[in-house]
Amino acid sequence: MPTHPASQIAPDRSAGGSERLPLGERLLRAGLINDEQLRTALRKQASLGGRLGEVLVQLGFVPEDALLPYIEEQLRVPVVKLREGLIDPAVVRLIPRVKAEQIHALALFKVRGVLSVAMAEPQNLQQIDDLERLTGLRVRPVFAFRWAIDRMLQRVYEEDFAVEAVTADFDESAIEVQSESLDFDLSSIISQADESPIVNLVNFLIISAVRQKASDIHIEPSRNHSTVRFRVDGLLREVLRPRRDVHPALVSRIKVMAKMDIAEHRVPQDGRVHVVVDGRPIDLRVSTLPTVMGEKVVIRILDRQRLTFDLEQLGFSEEQLETVKEMLAAPYGLILVTGPTGSGKTTTLYSAVELIKSVHRNIVTVEDPVEYQLELVNQVQVNEVAGLTFVSALRAILRQDPDVIMVGEIRDAATAQVAVQAALTGHLVLSTLHTNDSASAVTRLVDMGVEPFKLAASLVGVIAQRLIRTICPSCKALYYPPQRMLARIAYQGDEQRPFWRGLGCEACHDTGFQGRTAIYEILRVDEQLRRVIAQGADVAELRRLHRQRGGRPLFDQALQMAEAGRTSLEEAVRVAYVE
């Protein structure tokens, strides 16, 4: 559930002299009411009871927004104007409905064990103690008008409040779904998917994900509810739990946007949709997967404005960048980028292509899928259903007089064989491989069936990479890691020195991190390495030679970042440490 910041509640102000006057007198002096209105309000208060401020608002003499600062000064507690977008549906039911109605209290949101509660009597210590015992949390009372609390209580305990609450502050103008992506007949959709709360909820999720710089949206069914999670900086974070019966409508709405078959629930489907969020063009790649609980949807967010395809801005050191440029200047050969899924390999490949492309070169790629379209580059989308595989596409490309070939991924022995053969016959081939480090790429290709002598003759170099999270600057703090962690990694530095980490705050959604940067290990193949590869050396020998020649493992660079205070020691271990 999105955390609702406490900053949306008016802050407590220091007491001056004027707040000691009666509320009516202060409002008279401010010119917000006249004598006749005050007398009328006092008469009604005497007959009906309640607070003078509530009577003034209900009579229409003073707007609620104008009155709240005066009540804040009088009570010396924060005040709030209730609205659905301020209320977290996940915490509302921490206070049972009977209790909430009895004392006129409404749970708003929870931040780090502190529950903000709107109360008609925020100075009632007995009520605050009762709520703290009931919820097990520290209660932060804020003032709201009793009638506003009672009116909202009728809404927040309803089953559909969660959908409407999270989209309460949603501005429909913030997102525009391109018309060419939505030329469908709405009558073909199940009726629930066309209801505005569902449409608003899908749009809200897309907008929130883009603004939070998420790379993926996961919508997963379960027995009692759906779960919506965003992948931010490589890790998933739960943001919402819609009701279980809303899930089919959510899936249908997304399928319609992506031009997928909403009647088909038994097989996986893929689709695309183009939207404009806050004036920025965004491509969404949609994938559905049937599970025993229903269809799971993953939406990959492709935001070109957040990416750079400039090698000089990807995080290479000056020495590493020079080595990579020398490798790309080779007239032919094989250059590999390795790392796990989501480590930025495709971005590195695209950046390399951007660097070397020109009107004098014929560059062809074969990808699955084509994520971004590049100028002056012929990009081929794999279509295995139609028989267009990596191997068949590569063989066709070789008949197209290419200078540079980019293969999205070497997945099998056949693709590896064709890629190496293309590199041996005068083409520069760029591709990716899933291995832990640069030396492992050599043995992986040999395991796939590539003859060592061919690999030795064709391989120009290997770039291994990882993405590592950087510490949030808003909550950065010093700490001393436990000795057992330093012993585990055989730390060679000063064991008494402090490191940095993020404590977690609103800006980083309590993760302690904001953004990621890349670390690289580059294996440049020279004559000595070629001889060793051709002789069938194992990975340990390749790593030893690489380090003898000045090669730096990924963990060394991650550890250097931790020592410099750019990331935490735990993050460096998580991303790059290998036993």
Side-chain angles (χ1 to χ4, degrees):
M1 193 59 230
T3 302
H4 299 283
S7 60
Q8 298 201 32
I9 296 177
D12 194 3
R13 303 182 185 183
S14 60
S18 62
E19 74 275 8
R20 300 187 184 278
L21 294 172
L23 178 62
E25 180 66 25
R26 287 189 288 129
L27 296 176
L28 280 173
R29 289 189 177 191
L32 292 176
I33 58 172
N34 55 41
D35 288 328
E36 180 59 32
Q37 289 174 326
L38 178 57
R39 285 193 292 269
T40 301
L42 289 172
R43 285 195 299 270
K44 185 166 184 180
Q45 181 191 21
S47 62
L48 299 178
R51 293 180 180 271
L52 176 61
E54 292 185 330
V55 175
L56 288 168
V57 173
Q58 289 176 331
L59 289 173
F61 292 163
V62 183
E64 183 180 358
D65 289 337
L67 182 60
L68 282 174
Y70 292 90
I71 294 178
E72 180 186 28
E73 291 176 358
Q74 183 184 43
L75 299 180
R76 300 185 186 180
V77 297
V79 298
V80 63
K81 180 179 179 181
L82 292 180
R83 54 186 176 80
E84 291 181 343
L86 186 65
I87 303 168
D88 183 347
V91 305
V92 161
R93 297 174 188 269
L94 291 175
I95 303 176
R97 183 168 187 168
V98 173
K99 184 67 174 179
E101 292 176 342
Q102 177 188 348
I103 66 173
H104 308 283
L106 173 63
L108 299 177
F109 50 84
K110 181 181 70 172
V111 178
R112 289 176 149 190
V114 178
L115 181 66
S116 293
V117 181
M119 304 177 66
E121 299 180 34
Q123 295 172 313
N124 190 320
L125 297 180
Q126 180 62 49
Q127 291 182 2
I128 294 172
D129 288 343
D130 289 346
L131 291 176
E132 288 185 340
R133 282 195 300 270
L134 197 62
T135 62
L137 301 168
R138 187 160 65 87
V139 169
R140 177 183 183 237
V142 300
F143 171 80
F145 288 116
R146 177 174 301 186
W147 56 266
I149 292 175
D150 291 344
R151 182 180 63 185
M152 192 63 72
L153 284 174
Q154 304 305 312
R155 284 284 303 113
V156 297
Y157 289 93
E158 295 177 5
E159 289 300 322
D160 61 345
F161 176 70
V163 171
E164 296 186 12
V166 296
T167 61
D169 299 328
F170 167 62
D171 180 5
E172 293 186 9
S173 64
I175 183 169
E176 171 191 350
V177 183
Q178 299 292 61
S179 58
E180 62 267 22
S181 298
L182 284 177
D183 52 349
F184 51 78
D185 180 11
L186 285 177
S187 63
S188 65
I189 316 170
I190 60 175
S191 59
Q192 190 183 6
D194 191 30
E195 294 177 3
S196 58
I198 298 299
V199 174
N200 283 344
L201 180 57
V202 172
N203 290 346
F204 172 82
L205 293 176
I206 295 171
I207 291 172
S208 299
V210 171
R211 289 177 178 173
Q212 293 181 35
K213 300 180 181 178
S215 61
D216 302 86
I217 304 172
H218 291 241
I219 303 173
E220 304 164 336
S222 63
R223 188 176 302 278
N224 300 317
H225 54 76
S226 295
T227 301
V228 180
R229 299 189 289 172
F230 292 169
R231 187 178 294 280
V232 181
D233 294 336
L235 295 183
L236 286 170
R237 180 176 68 237
E238 184 175 321
V239 296
L240 188 64
R241 285 190 177 184
R243 297 195 326 265
R244 179 66 178 88
D245 59 342
V246 171
H247 185 80
L250 276 176
V251 175
S252 293
R253 171 60 185 168
I254 294 167
K255 282 184 172 182
V256 167
M257 294 174 66
K259 292 186 175 180
M260 298 158 71
D261 184 357
I262 66 169
E264 180 56 73
H265 309 285
R266 298 166 300 175
V267 297
Q269 296 187 62
D270 295 293
R272 301 180 79 104
V273 61
H274 185 74
V275 299
V276 178
V277 177
D278 295 330
R280 293 155 52 193
I282 306 291
D283 285 314
L284 305 176
R285 199 172 75 224
V286 182
S287 171
T288 66
L289 179 69
T291 73
V292 293
M293 291 293 178
E295 288 184 281
K296 174 181 176 177
V297 178
V298 175
I299 304 175
R300 171 64 58 88
I301 299 171
L302 305 174
D303 184 356
R304 181 65 181 263
Q305 292 187 12
R306 281 186 52 221
L307 287 178
T308 176
F309 293 144
D310 184 350
L311 273 178
E312 298 186 0
Q313 298 182 29
L314 293 186
F316 288 104
S317 67
E318 290 186 10
E319 181 182 353
Q320 288 176 332
L321 183 61
E322 188 63 31
T323 301
V324 171
K325 287 182 177 179
E326 289 175 0
M327 288 162 52
L328 292 171
Y332 60 88
L334 176 64
I335 299 175
L336 295 173
V337 181
T338 75
T341 301
S343 59
K345 300 187 299 295
T346 301
T347 300
T348 301
L349 278 187
Y350 277 16
S351 301
V353 170
E354 284 282 356
L355 179 70
I356 63 178
K357 74 178 184 182
S358 74
V359 294
H360 305 294
R361 274 181 157 174
N362 177 21
I363 301 178
V364 188
T365 75
V366 51
E367 307 169 60
D368 184 22
V370 174
E371 294 192 358
Y372 296 98
Q373 296 181 5
L374 306 176
E375 295 292 330
L376 293 176
V377 178
N378 305 286
Q379 295 171 271
V380 178
Q381 168 79 51
V382 167
N383 186 347
E384 294 191 359
V385 175
L388 183 60
T389 63
F390 275 109
V391 174
S392 61
L394 268 173
R395 287 172 177 157
I397 288 169
L398 288 171
R399 295 191 291 271
Q400 291 281 311
D401 186 30
D403 297 300
V404 179
I405 303 171
M406 187 189 99
V407 183
E409 181 184 349
I410 295 179
R411 297 179 178 175
D412 50 43
T415 306
Q417 294 281 4
V418 177
V420 169
Q421 192 62 38
L424 287 171
T425 54
H427 308 92
L428 184 61
V429 180
L430 314 177
S431 189
T432 68
L433 200 61
H434 288 280
T435 62
N436 289 328
D437 61 5
S438 55
S440 300
V442 175
T443 55
R444 173 65 60 84
L445 288 176
V446 173
D447 290 343
M448 283 184 172
V450 177
E451 292 88 344
F453 72 91
K454 286 187 177 179
L455 183 58
S458 62
L459 190 61
V460 174
V462 183
I463 304 169
Q465 67 180 76
R466 297 287 189 280
L467 291 177
I468 189 168
R469 294 182 295 172
T470 52
I471 297 173
C472 172
S474 301
C475 58
K476 187 175 181 180
L478 284 170
Y479 82 109
Y480 291 88
Q483 288 296 315
R484 64 179 179 275
M485 173 170 284
L486 297 177
R488 175 191 169 194
I489 63 175
Y491 184 61
Q492 300 298 313
D494 181 7
E495 294 186 359
Q496 303 303 316
R497 61 159 295 161
F499 286 81
W500 293 87
R501 67 179 174 187
L503 297 178
C505 63
E506 180 187 326
C508 62
H509 299 277
D510 287 326
T511 64
F513 297 94
Q514 262 195 349
R516 290 188 293 178
T517 189
I519 53 175
Y520 301 94
E521 177 190 5
I522 301 176
L523 174 69
R524 178 74 186 277
V525 179
D526 58 12
E527 287 304 317
Q528 181 184 4
L529 269 177
R530 290 190 197 284
R531 287 195 298 271
V532 172
I533 293 172
Q535 292 167 4
D538 60 18
V539 68
E541 176 67 11
L542 292 172
R543 287 173 181 159
R544 186 185 63 79
L545 285 174
H546 177 47
R547 292 175 185 177
Q548 280 183 356
R549 296 162 60 251
R552 296 182 60 205
L554 287 167
F555 183 66
D556 284 3
Q557 296 169 64
L559 185 59
Q560 185 178 6
M561 282 185 60
E563 291 174 334
R566 297 179 60 200
T567 192
S568 70
L569 184 60
E570 289 81 0
E571 176 71 0
V573 172
R574 182 187 72 86
V575 170
Y577 182 70
V578 179
E579 294 287 351

